[in-house]
Amino acid sequence: MKIKRQISKGKWQKWSYVRWNQQRLLPFGRCLLPFAFVLLLSPVVALAQSGRKPQQKPGEQQPRPGEAPSLRIETREVVLPLMAYDAEGNFVDDLQTKDVLVLEEGEARQVTRVKREPANIVLVMDCSNEIGTFKNAATERYGKPERPIWEKGADYQVISNPTTRTFANQFVSMLSPEDQIAIIQYSDKVQLIQDWTNDRQQALNSLASKYRVGIKSSYHDALKLAADKLQSQPNGRRIVVLITDGIDSNSKTGKTKALLALEKSRASVFILGWADALKHEIEIAADWTMHHEVAGTNAMKRVAELRQYLSILEGATAELRAMAESSGGELWLPPTHNDLIACNRKVSGEIGAQYSLSFITERTPTLEDKRSIKVIAARQGVSLRSRSSYYIPDEPNTLTR
């Protein structure tokens, strides 16, 4: 009421009339909106129906009359490990690109390079003792007085260098100065005891000061960490040296995730499997328990536990063999502790003789980035070994055709 008094009578009538007209015309305006939209769209539709081409954007190259438009193909350069042997099984040192054929999903690929280059090596050590201390050293039950080996006596000796650590020391000592190494140990947890280095003495010092054994096995966590370390190294060959029984009991990382990460790293996996050596040690332990322990529930339970472990070990070894073969690596099953230590020369020889094979592939739209591959020797008397599959890398190289 106060506001209306401040407005003169004439002005109030005029303002009321304008408000009445706005309210009256508002529904009519809303009805016209669709028609206005159609009027705005009609020139665009007419342009499309007329067959006229839109104006060329600045910087775009238009094909000349009679010239086919260019096709841009997204490509990748793939680098995989390659081993070459002659008819006697010796390493071939003069392999060239013309000596190699690459078939990917059955189609030939262009080989760009075959060369030797420095290696990035992750050494993974199994330090778990869930079934007993069989991995530490060979048994001393025979050839000694018949008493428990933990009993102290005049001839009692503490194991100063467990088998795995002895192997690691000798392997590191034989490294090429150009190669880099990282060292992982696993048991109750996974530990990176040495990050990337080409200083052999530094790696040996880490083994001497940080090597620890445990009870449970975090095997899958160790594989995942090894894959992550390799992915951080864009240049050079990628290699995993694995001393393990292949059994997991304590990992947070699932088996599928760990194996997928390792496969995507495109690393060669060289494996020292414990199966044969542990089988020998466990058979001795089971026989000793049966003949020297007091017959009873605990003794029989221990023997049954050892037998069950051997059954699990057999299945794990089959998986290790598949891993080594698919990666272009190798699996050794040394029968004794001493034989396992001596394998360091074989592993070092394989790594030193390995080539890097580079070829060009095309990335096509697909739900699966995994490709099967077959590497064939085009040179008489030469046999080749490489990966059987790989995951295509993310970095593109675009070709124009």
Side-chain angles (χ1 to χ4, degrees), residues 23-49:
Q23 293 175 358
R24 183 180 178 187
L25 293 174
L26 184 60
F28 179 72
R30 288 175 178 172
C31 295
L32 290 177
L33 283 175
F35 297 99
F37 178 75
V38 172
L39 290 174
L40 290 172
L41 189 63
S42 58
V44 178
V45 176
L47 178 63
Q49 291 178 346

Side-chain angles (χ1 to χ4, degrees), residues 122-128 164-165 182-194 206-214 218-219 221-222 225 243:
V122 181
L123 175 61
V124 182
M125 304 182 297
D126 179 359
C127 299
S128 63
T164 299
R165 181 178 159 189
I183 305 176
I184 295 171
Q185 66 182 10
Y186 73 89
S187 53
D188 301 289
K189 62 180 180 179
V190 176
Q191 294 176 297
L192 177 67
I193 65 173
Q194 176 61 62
S206 295
L207 285 168
S209 61
K210 300 177 183 179
Y211 182 89
R212 298 289 185 276
V213 298
S218 301
Y219 168 60
D221 287 343
L225 178 58
I243 312 169

Side-chain angles (χ1 to χ4, degrees), residues 41-113:
L41 189 63
S42 58
V44 178
V45 176
L47 178 63
Q49 291 178 346
S50 65
R52 288 182 292 172
K53 296 181 179 179
Q55 292 183 354
Q56 184 179 350
K57 295 181 180 179
E60 279 189 348
Q61 292 184 356
Q62 198 166 3
R64 297 174 182 176
E67 183 181 64
S70 62
L71 174 65
R72 293 176 64 83
I73 301 175
E74 195 175 88
T75 66
R76 301 287 191 277
E77 183 178 54
V78 181
V79 182
L80 298 179
L82 179 66
M83 298 296 302
Y85 306 91
D86 63 18
E88 280 102 32
N90 301 314
F91 299 126
V92 175
D93 294 325
D94 59 348
L95 199 69
Q96 302 178 32
T97 56
K98 65 180 181 179
D99 302 327
V100 182
L101 297 176
V102 175
L103 297 179
E104 181 188 86
E105 301 291 342
E107 296 184 6
R109 296 301 184 206
Q110 177 190 355
V111 177
T112 54
R113 285 191 300 272

Side-chain angles (χ1 to χ4, degrees), residues 252-266:
K252 296 179 181 178
T253 306
K255 175 182 174 181
T256 301
K257 183 177 180 180
L259 294 178
L260 180 60
L262 189 61
E263 189 172 6
K264 285 189 173 183
S265 73
R266 303 198 302 278

Side-chain angles (χ1 to χ4, degrees), residues 102-291:
V102 175
L103 297 179
E104 181 188 86
E105 301 291 342
E107 296 184 6
R109 296 301 184 206
Q110 177 190 355
V111 177
T112 54
R113 285 191 300 272
V114 174
K115 65 177 182 178
R116 290 208 168 105
E117 56 184 354
N120 302 297
I121 306 167
V122 181
L123 175 61
V124 182
M125 304 182 297
D126 179 359
C127 299
S128 63
N129 290 278
E130 196 160 9
I131 198 66
T133 58
F134 299 106
K135 300 173 189 172
N136 291 342
T139 184
E140 296 182 358
R141 281 183 168 85
Y142 290 113
K144 297 284 182 79
E146 292 189 0
R147 61 175 183 254
I149 60 172
W150 56 84
E151 180 181 307
K152 294 184 179 181
D155 57 349
Y156 178 81
Q157 293 182 350
V158 176
I159 299 172
S160 58
N161 281 321
T163 298
T164 299
R165 181 178 159 189
T166 303
F167 172 91
N169 285 337
Q170 295 186 14
F171 176 74
V172 169
S173 298
M174 297 180 67
L175 283 176
S176 168
E178 297 179 347
D179 294 340
Q180 289 199 99
I181 190 168
I183 305 176
I184 295 171
Q185 66 182 10
Y186 73 89
S187 53
D188 301 289
K189 62 180 180 179
V190 176
Q191 294 176 297
L192 177 67
I193 65 173
Q194 176 61 62
D195 209 343
W196 291 116
T197 183
N198 56 8
D199 186 336
R200 288 179 288 182
Q201 190 57 52
Q202 181 183 357
L204 290 171
N205 292 340
S206 295
L207 285 168
S209 61
K210 300 177 183 179
Y211 182 89
R212 298 289 185 276
V213 298
I215 304 299
K216 292 185 176 296
S217 171
S218 301
Y219 168 60
H220 295 149
D221 287 343
L223 293 184
K224 179 61 168 60
L225 178 58
D228 292 343
K229 295 303 297 179
L230 289 171
Q231 292 286 20
S232 69
Q233 299 297 106
N235 300 317
R237 292 175 291 143
R238 295 177 177 182
I239 293 170
V240 174
V241 176
L242 182 58
I243 312 169
T244 185
D245 60 4
I247 297 175
D248 185 279
S249 62
N250 197 52
S251 286
K252 296 179 181 178
T253 306
K255 175 182 174 181
T256 301
K257 183 177 180 180
L259 294 178
L260 180 60
L262 189 61
E263 189 172 6
K264 285 189 173 183
S265 73
R266 303 198 302 278
S268 297
V269 186
F270 296 96
I271 305 174
L272 282 303
W274 273 112
D276 288 359
L278 290 186
K279 182 178 180 181
H280 175 71
E281 296 292 328
I282 288 173
E283 290 292 353
I284 292 176
D287 181 70
W288 194 95
T289 301
M290 293 288 290
H291 290 87

